[in-house]
Amino acid sequence: MAERVYFFDTTLRDGEQSPGCSMYLEEKLKMARQLERLNVDVIEAGFPIASEGDFEAVQAVSVQVRKPTIAALARANRLDIERAWEAVKQARKPRIHTFIATSDIHLQYKLRKTRAEVLAQTIEAVKTARNLCEEVEFSAEDATRSDIDYLAEVLTAAIEQGATIINIPDTVGYAVPMEFGPFVRDVIAKVPNRDKAIFSCHCHNDLGLAVANSLAGLLNGCRQVECTINGIGERAGNASLEEIAMAIRTRKNVLPFNSEINTEEISRSSKLLTNLTGSFVQPNKAIVGRNAFAHEAGIHQDGILKNSLTYEIMTPQSVGLSSTTLVMGKHSGRHALRNKFEELGYELSSEELERAYFFFTKLADQKKEVYEEDLVAIIQDGMKIVPDVYRLKFVLSSGGSQAISSAAVKIEKGTDSCVESAVGDGPIHACYKAIDKVTGMPGRLLDYTVNSVTRGKDALGEVFVHVEFENKNYTGKAASVDIIDASARAYINAVNKAYTEKQRSEAKKADKVAES
Ligand SMILES: [Zn+2]
């Protein structure tokens, strides 16, 4: 009998903590809604004590995303746990996830505590969490380097206090599958009250083995697996959700598990995350890489054409990929555009449709053929994630091989408009300097990427930027046939996020002053 495996997605917590993957509140909400469509069982939405922003994101996800369980992370102390509960309590199915390290190396150098003290702290923390929340998960950080008998003692105590999900993480990505599997099996066997809990694994990818270790965990008694979209996460990342889900779907004979994951949403989830963070996956990444389903070698292609089973172990459709198809012409109307977007999984508000239509007609004028990928780029460009405080009216730039480039921009804010120009090393630099002059908010460009959305010389260019304003990082994104235009709008997108966030925090401060 195939047993049910629960997918615990930590893209918004472990994933979001990694460099270059930070997300703005509305972006986290978009991602959470997509994870709901993907049908994960649990969304770990953040670490509420870490920052005001994390707290707000967990709270917003709890209120707005109703199907999955929403988990909030807390260290094993009262303050963290109470803060986590405050953030998650409005969820339909809330969970507090509390953790403490159990390996001697962490006890000695990080916590400076004895084993007895950590055991006592575990008991206290789970009790506190359980008094607030029906469902409590306990993690023994650095479990794989912990003494197995001591680990079992801590886990037994956590279950006694009412934790019903017990996580065994390979925090440092040190384990290998032939060791991790038996380790999980032996720990579980040493926990006498094991039938009162679901065991879970959380594997990091430092040796490239996170998915393999997770599968070994499942085969040895775990029924929850913690993972992220595209495998994002600290250092080399976490186990990637899409790989585990597709391994289970494709290899039922050796992995006798069921999951509720809607695998047809995998591709869209992966692309949305990339679009929100600007953090790309390598082309040969399993399941979601650009080349994962491309059979370009002649001999393979010949086989595929004769019978797809010759080289294809999964169909592109099973992860929600459709082939690049010509979809729309210059004369397609709003109605056809709305229908096409619905087919692609995007329900548009009438405002979003208007915006998408505007970009679409502009694009159809510039480009012979409009593909599904172009439409996705258009809609993600047009997503109303932040108010358009600053709007680009035009950008003019000169570049080339001479030493100095120049740019002029016209930008609107409300009913005002402003024209500025600047020179710089290259047209993008000049353009960004001109924008800074208009906004008075100088940004530091940390990363800049440009990609073509489809093939061909007239393909849409998508620009992603990571920009720092006042020591905080923001991403910006835009798509256009003209990369200077896309570059300017991507930068302004980041400016608008920084501006909006600043306004919000100032408004909140003013509220607090008024209250006191
Ligand atoms: Zn982790």
Side-chain angles (χ1 to χ4, degrees), residues 3 151 164 222 354 452:
E3 283 194 46
L151 175 63
T164 50
C222 291
E354 254 343 282
S452 67

Side-chain angles (χ1 to χ4, degrees), residues 13-14 202 204 238:
R13 204 277 302 164
D14 212 327
H202 174 113
H204 275 271
N238 287 69

Side-chain angles (χ1 to χ4, degrees), residues 186-422:
D186 295 347
V187 179
I188 296 176
K190 284 174 188 279
V191 174
N193 49 5
R194 57 186 169 270
D195 58 329
K196 295 199 178 72
I198 291 176
F199 286 82
S200 163
C201 55
H202 174 113
C203 299
H204 275 271
N205 206 31
D206 297 70
L207 293 172
L209 295 169
V211 169
N213 284 329
S214 302
L215 296 178
L218 293 178
L219 286 168
N220 285 279
C222 291
R223 289 294 174 268
Q224 174 181 283
V225 65
E226 304 197 354
C227 45
T228 61
I229 302 294
N230 296 345
I232 65 166
E234 300 216 57
R235 306 185 307 279
N238 287 69
S240 93
L241 180 147
E242 60 277 8
E243 293 177 25
I244 299 174
M246 288 312 287
I248 290 176
R249 181 173 162 159
T250 309
R251 297 307 314 276
K252 282 243 174 301
N253 56 333
V254 280
L255 299 166
F257 306 114
N258 283 324
S259 86
E260 296 284 301
I261 293 292
N262 181 5
T263 63
E264 284 78 9
E265 290 290 331
I266 282 177
S267 175
R268 198 171 298 137
S269 307
S270 166
K271 283 187 184 141
L272 178 64
L273 182 64
T274 299
N275 276 306
L276 294 176
T277 61
S279 177
F280 293 89
V281 294
Q282 79 215 42
N284 62 328
K285 161 86 172 62
I287 318 295
V288 294
R290 183 163 26 91
N291 295 345
F293 289 90
H295 298 272
E296 303 240 327
I299 189 167
H300 287 198
Q301 227 169 34
D302 181 52
I304 288 279
L305 287 175
K306 284 177 180 149
N307 183 343
S308 65
L309 292 177
T310 47
Y311 289 99
E312 207 169 65
I313 61 163
M314 308 169 267
T315 63
Q317 291 75 21
S318 64
V319 300
L321 276 178
S322 51
S323 47
T324 301
T325 40
L326 177 64
V327 286
M328 306 283 288
K330 203 172 164 174
H331 302 290
S332 308
R334 284 177 179 74
H335 187 70
L337 193 65
R338 183 193 288 265
N339 286 348
K340 192 68 209 175
F341 275 120
E342 268 170 24
E343 231 174 84
L344 292 168
Y346 294 91
E347 273 172 45
L348 304 194
S349 66
S350 43
E351 196 189 341
E352 281 172 325
L353 179 68
E354 254 343 282
R355 221 171 130 94
Y357 187 72
F358 170 75
F359 283 116
F360 167 72
T361 48
K362 214 171 126 195
L363 182 65
D365 274 339
Q366 290 167 313
K367 194 171 179 294
K368 286 197 302 288
E369 298 164 318
V370 178
Y371 296 98
E372 281 184 357
E373 286 91 333
D374 293 321
L375 293 182
V376 172
I378 286 175
I379 190 57
Q380 289 180 340
D381 186 339
M383 276 203 267
K384 270 290 200 191
I385 280 180
V386 271
D388 270 337
V389 184
Y390 293 99
R391 286 184 310 275
L392 181 74
K393 289 314 280 182
F394 71 72
V395 54
L396 246 170
S397 80
S398 76
S401 54
Q402 74 268 41
I404 293 177
S405 299
S406 64
V409 293
K410 181 177 183 186
I411 293 174
E412 285 183 347
K413 184 187 179 195
T415 51
D416 295 343
S417 78
C418 185
V419 180
E420 279 291 355
S421 62

